[in-house]
Amino acid sequence: MALVTGATGGIGRAICQRLAHTGHDLTICARNAERLAEVADALRCHDVQVRVESADMAVEADVLRVAHAHVAAYHRLDALVLAAGVGTAGPIETVGLRRFDKQVAVNVRAPYTLVHELMPLMRATAAQDARNGAKIIAISSITGVYAEPGLAAYGASKAALGALCRSINVEASDAGVTATAVSPGYVDTDMSAWVHNRIPPEKMITAGDVAELVMSLTRLSAQTVVPELVITRAGNQLYRA
């Protein structure tokens, strides 16, 4: 059983497809109900159950509803994939607090809330499956590891997400619940279209590559902890987005 936020985005959708292909029943959520229904229909072709929850990760009540709906429907959670995210570009002096707060709400507060609500279920799932345990996989960003000009607010929120994953491992990995922050450079999705004038899509990481790494993490034993995976684009600037 898996829960995926940001399921209609490029990375989230690719992850959902891989999970469904390997037989995972799913709870998927995103803001756009119509696009969410389209994704769900495609996933059900793999003969899996798909629960749809239209939700805005910036709204606490929506986040709580998603968590509680999954618990009520499945009573198990093998993988929590935190793929929802929002970003704003601009120098620090031009990005106001409202835009900063929105990024913190979606990129940090919502993941924390989901982990807070779902940790008891994940501990119970890990106890039932001692070999594989339960996985929390957060789609972070290379900007949370290496500073990128114009992305201070976004990078700060993603750095916090990485810190959350490390804390989860310290608190819960002995019980079989592990967390990984997957931190790619620019991925060829709609979210990266704003830099196409200097980085063409064919030079970006593919959503499929990120999904492949996520699937690899779900297959690891409970004895293995991968706190963070940094994914860089090919080229001579490996520590830049």
Side-chain angles (χ1 to χ4, degrees), residues 128-146:
Q128 295 168 18
D129 187 355
R131 184 189 180 284
N132 292 314
K135 317 293 184 185
I136 297 169
I137 302 168
I139 304 303
S140 186
S141 168
I142 197 171
T143 62
V145 184
Y146 304 112

Side-chain angles (χ1 to χ4, degrees), residues 98-148:
R98 287 184 61 186
R99 286 194 287 168
F100 176 79
D101 288 344
K102 178 66 176 288
Q103 289 171 92
V104 170
V106 175
N107 299 345
V108 186
R109 183 180 173 86
Y112 184 91
T113 302
L114 287 170
V115 171
H116 174 268
E117 294 296 315
L118 293 167
M119 182 60 79
L121 179 61
M122 299 197 78
R123 287 181 182 272
T125 300
Q128 295 168 18
D129 187 355
R131 184 189 180 284
N132 292 314
K135 317 293 184 185
I136 297 169
I137 302 168
I139 304 303
S140 186
S141 168
I142 197 171
T143 62
V145 184
Y146 304 112
E148 183 77 7

Side-chain angles (χ1 to χ4, degrees), residues 1-5 19 24-29 49-53 62-81 114 117-122 125 134-135:
M1 308 290 181
L3 190 161
V4 182
T5 69
L19 288 167
H24 285 77
D25 293 327
L26 293 159
T27 296
I28 62 173
C29 66
Q49 297 182 57
V50 181
R51 183 179 183 88
V52 172
E53 292 291 336
D62 282 12
V63 179
L64 292 171
R65 173 170 49 79
V66 169
H68 299 163
H70 181 91
V71 173
Y74 293 127
H75 307 290
R76 182 183 178 95
L77 183 55
D78 300 275
L80 171 61
V81 181
L114 287 170
E117 294 296 315
L118 293 167
M119 182 60 79
L121 179 61
M122 299 197 78
T125 300
K135 317 293 184 185

Side-chain angles (χ1 to χ4, degrees), residues 36-50:
L36 199 58
E38 292 173 359
V39 172
D41 287 343
L43 296 175
R44 292 187 182 109
C45 294
H46 296 285
D47 197 28
V48 295
Q49 297 182 57
V50 181

